Amino acid sequence: MLRPLFYTLLALFALAVVATAALLARVAPQLPDINSLKEVKLQMPMRVFTADGSLIGEFGEKRRNPVAIDEVPLQLKQAFIAAEDERFYEHPGVDWMAIVRAAVELLKSHQKRQGGSTITMQVARNFFLSSEKTFDRKLREIMLAIKIERELRKDEILELYLNKIFLGQRAYGVGAAALVYYGKPLAKLTLAESAMIAGLPKAPSSLNPVADPAASLARRGYVLRRMLELEFVSREAFDQAMASLETASLHGQPSETDAPYLAEMVRTAMEERYGTAAYTEGFRVYTTVTKPLQDAAVRSLRTGLSDYDRRHGYRGPEAQLALPVNAPTQWPSLLAPYQTIGGLPAALVTAVSTQSVTAVTAAGESIEIPWSGLVWARPQRGNDAVGAAPRTASEILKTGDVIRIQYHVPVPAKGKPAAEPYWRLTQLPVVEGALVSLAVADGAVQSLVGGFDFARSKFNRVTQAMRQPGSNFKPFVYSAALDHGFTPASFVNDAPIVFDAPGLESVWRPENYTGTYYGPTRLRDALANSRNLVSIRLMRELGVETVISHVSRFGFDAKSLPQNLSLALGTGETTPLTIVSAYAAFANGGFRITPYFISRVEGPDGRVLETAAPARACDECTDGTAAEEEPLDIDDLKQQQAKPAAPRAIDAQNAFMMYSMMKDVITRGTARRATQLNRKDLAGKTGTTNDQKDAWFSGFNGKIVTTVWVGFDIVKPLGGQETGARAALPVWIDYMREALQDTPETELVPPPGIVTVRIDPDSGAVAGVSSKGAVLESFRERDVPGSSGAGSAGGQAPQDEAPPADAEQLF
């Protein structure tokens, strides 16, 4: 009776062995080469940095922060081994005992309560196999695990596993999980946090502490109990970890520098170059901005926009909420929908006194806003009017109001002690703005801010906002005049004029901003004081086509410019980036540079893949021949190849005269406020459009050029008196104060062909040394009044005689 059963079992066993051997013979040759694991390339996101190594942002579907096994704390390794594979350091890749236990448990309970997969089998599955559940796939997994164990050390296998495993919320690997859930590196994880992360592989999407806090807490307890059973932790450490509150929450990649508009420009550029590989190859992209200047730009623009907003009154709280009675601990949670925007956190008013307000923040902090932080809040009565000044706090706010707050540090007056900082009521500005700053030598972006806050609006106003530059465009018209016989001393009549010409919709009666006219005016004075009628007469004298041809050399699109005299007042729409690039030519001696913002791209191993080679403002590398037409040696050739030349927009004489004229805009013109910087090397121009719909300032020295724009996205007036000098210039000043701190003055040097002589400011004629009231003026040698090449452009009195013998000539 037993013999037939024995032979039957023996036959079945033999059949199973033969079948398994046949299957192994078929599968074995198809197994992948394990050596590929030694050179595995994990998908890694692209990271964007400042030039000085500060993280700006990260792009990629998978968040991953690979770590070496030596960087993984022992308690985290033990937590994973306790949760996933307690015999990891003992089995040969497959834990037959665990598989038998899992099978017995399945037969007894008809539920899969224990898994038989080892860490090595998970590595095999994650790197080489699909997730389908078939006998063939499982056999391949087992065979691969055994093969992996033969060719890799245990720690190498564990390192692969800990860097590859999906742990929920787009986090792949333990390094990323620590940052995603706790915002800290592995070395700073507590035992409880390590256990939480180690419990995630079972169901990373549904059992993570963000998706299901209660279930994940139970899973954390399971991992801690397993660690206690395996004597990885003491009873005391176990009890302490079990009692720990769970603090996990979603943490974004910790940005160290606020430059999201620039980061998005980098993302777009990298995708254009590398396609979807940009998000998976672990590129490290280094930009041209530095953290100090970028931080200064963000701070200056936000301050300027908030200052404008306060000038136009308080619009009221963002919301009115009912406070739960006798439940103050619940009040902070009511602020969850109100995220911090532009550095301005939300707060909930909890009490209103006569001249102060008490509020609570989302973090639960109770603050007091004194009267000094409330008194500004006159009610807004339209965009250009405000109501009466408040006398009590209750006129402004009431309990339950959701407001914005700012910790204000007053700037002490000269010679006076610093005032105490205090909380101030504020609001999110409706007005928008942009700031962009370039190195004048090669166009490297020094800082870029495309709006008040990227989270509120991703529209990049530096590159995408097409706005009228107004008077900010005038220097380009004046530059055209200097190329066509005019000089800074030429006179043009500043007087009313009426146009009724083709191309204009109706009779056009342009006016100066002040409504005042000054008669014959030197170009230098006209530009310093932004005289509209002088610019129009200049353009009429030169011709519209001549001016458009000239300004297109600065990078303006000739086809998009209006083909009429209104162009003289900056009616052609353009972007702040185009404006600042064009102004760079005045600062660098006349070269047209091209802005760039990526300095180099590295692979994840630090190998440099590409480096920027921008065209530079460089006289010595404008052609391929040496100055004396001698053959180039190899070192000279390499140097010229390393520094390609930027094309010229204007000659050096034109650039210097424009720089000299725009210095007067600051020293005695519409931008006199900038004299507070106490520098002699600054030049620039304000810009204001009709009805103050756009406010601009562009300014520079010999190293850096910066443009600021302020306006509404939906075009409407900024309000009376909100000119470029009032709305945009203060932003420029605040930024340049920090950008130029501790830097020497860098003025343009008069180039060959420029002479400076004393002239009579009333006639433009060369003055003698003894002439009273004479001023210095720069000319091309051929254009010095009274020289053989000088003419009478622009109404300047003809000078038929040579300069008097006692005329003082400088430079």
Side-chain angles (χ1 to χ4, degrees), residues 177-252:
L179 294 172
V180 166
Y181 294 112
Y182 300 107
K184 62 176 71 172
L186 293 178
K188 294 186 177 181
L189 291 177
T190 66
L191 173 59
E193 291 165 347
S194 295
M196 176 63 77
I197 291 175
L200 293 174
K202 180 178 181 181
S205 296
S206 59
L207 283 185
N208 70 70
V210 174
D212 192 337
S216 64
L217 201 61
R219 179 66 178 168
R220 184 189 78 172
Y222 165 77
V223 175
L224 288 170
R225 285 190 294 274
R226 291 289 298 131
M227 294 181 76
L228 181 64
E229 292 169 5
L230 295 172
E231 299 183 350
F232 287 157
V233 296
S234 66
R235 168 59 68 173
E236 181 182 0
F238 168 80
D239 291 339
Q240 185 176 359
M242 287 293 290
S244 297
L245 293 176
E246 182 50 48
T247 60
S249 63
L250 275 183
H251 294 74

Side-chain angles (χ1 to χ4, degrees), residues 43 129 134 144 213 216 364 396 609 645 691 708 739:
Q43 285 192 21
L129 303 173
T134 64
L144 271 173
S216 64
I396 308 168
L609 304 178
D691 299 322
V708 174

Side-chain angles (χ1 to χ4, degrees), residues 773-803:
V775 296
L776 296 176
E777 188 56 88
S778 298
F779 301 89
R780 288 187 173 95
E781 288 179 346
R782 68 173 187 268
D783 292 333
V784 175
S787 66
S788 58
S792 57
Q796 180 176 307
Q799 303 293 321
D800 297 326
E801 299 178 358

Side-chain angles (χ1 to χ4, degrees), residues 177-514:
L179 294 172
V180 166
Y181 294 112
Y182 300 107
K184 62 176 71 172
L186 293 178
K188 294 186 177 181
L189 291 177
T190 66
L191 173 59
E193 291 165 347
S194 295
M196 176 63 77
I197 291 175
L200 293 174
K202 180 178 181 181
S205 296
S206 59
L207 283 185
N208 70 70
V210 174
D212 192 337
S216 64
L217 201 61
R219 179 66 178 168
R220 184 189 78 172
Y222 165 77
V223 175
L224 288 170
R225 285 190 294 274
R226 291 289 298 131
M227 294 181 76
L228 181 64
E229 292 169 5
L230 295 172
E231 299 183 350
F232 287 157
V233 296
S234 66
R235 168 59 68 173
E236 181 182 0
F238 168 80
D239 291 339
Q240 185 176 359
M242 287 293 290
S244 297
L245 293 176
E246 182 50 48
T247 60
S249 63
L250 275 183
H251 294 74
Q253 180 68 29
S255 174
E256 299 164 337
T257 297
D258 189 356
Y261 292 99
L262 181 70
E264 178 61 19
M265 292 167 66
V266 171
R267 185 199 66 77
T268 301
M270 289 294 290
E271 185 176 302
E272 289 175 354
R273 297 181 196 182
Y274 296 98
T276 57
Y279 307 111
T280 61
E281 296 298 312
F283 292 123
R284 297 170 62 88
V285 185
Y286 287 85
T287 63
T288 55
V289 307
T290 59
K291 179 176 174 57
L293 263 62
Q294 180 63 25
D295 288 349
V298 171
R299 186 166 52 250
S300 299
L301 182 64
R302 288 177 175 173
T303 297
L305 297 181
S306 292
D307 287 346
Y308 166 89
D309 207 55
R310 276 191 297 275
R311 288 197 295 271
H312 293 267
Y314 186 53
R315 295 186 300 276
E318 291 186 28
Q320 228 295 316
L321 305 178
L323 301 184
V325 180
N326 299 323
T329 57
Q330 298 178 22
W331 294 348
S333 63
L334 298 176
L335 293 171
Y338 304 93
Q339 300 300 308
T340 297
I341 301 292
L344 304 178
L348 184 62
V349 176
T350 57
V352 178
S353 301
T354 304
Q355 289 195 327
S356 67
V357 162
T358 303
V360 65
T361 68
E365 179 186 5
S366 181
I367 66 164
E368 181 178 339
I369 305 176
W371 187 241
S372 54
L374 296 168
V375 69
W376 70 269
R378 300 171 67 175
Q380 187 179 100
R381 302 282 189 246
N383 192 48
D384 205 19
V386 294
R391 291 171 295 178
T392 63
S394 61
E395 296 177 44
I396 308 168
L397 299 170
K398 57 185 177 180
T399 301
D401 282 346
V402 177
I403 61 175
R404 296 285 167 170
I405 56 174
Q406 181 182 44
Y407 194 62
H408 180 59
V409 181
V411 178
K414 189 174 182 179
K416 293 188 176 181
E420 288 292 324
Y422 58 87
W423 285 102
R424 180 166 66 180
L425 171 69
T426 187
Q427 59 190 353
L428 299 179
V430 178
V431 71
E432 274 292 356
L435 183 154
V436 57
S437 186
L438 307 179
V440 303
D442 62 0
V445 173
Q446 303 296 286
S447 58
L448 186 149
V449 191
F452 183 74
D453 190 280
F454 188 77
R456 182 173 77 167
S457 169
K458 294 175 174 54
F459 181 66
N460 188 342
R461 294 154 191 86
V462 169
T463 61
Q464 296 175 298
M466 296 293 293
R467 306 296 293 228
Q468 291 184 359
S471 299
N472 213 226
F473 188 79
K474 288 177 181 176
F476 305 102
V477 178
Y478 280 64
S479 174
L482 296 182
D483 264 9
H484 290 82
F486 288 80
T487 74
S490 295
F491 280 83
V492 174
N493 196 20
D494 179 21
I497 191 169
V498 177
F499 294 97
D500 185 6
L504 298 175
E505 295 181 1
S506 60
V507 175
W508 184 38
R509 293 182 174 85
E511 298 177 343
N512 287 331
Y513 176 74
T514 61

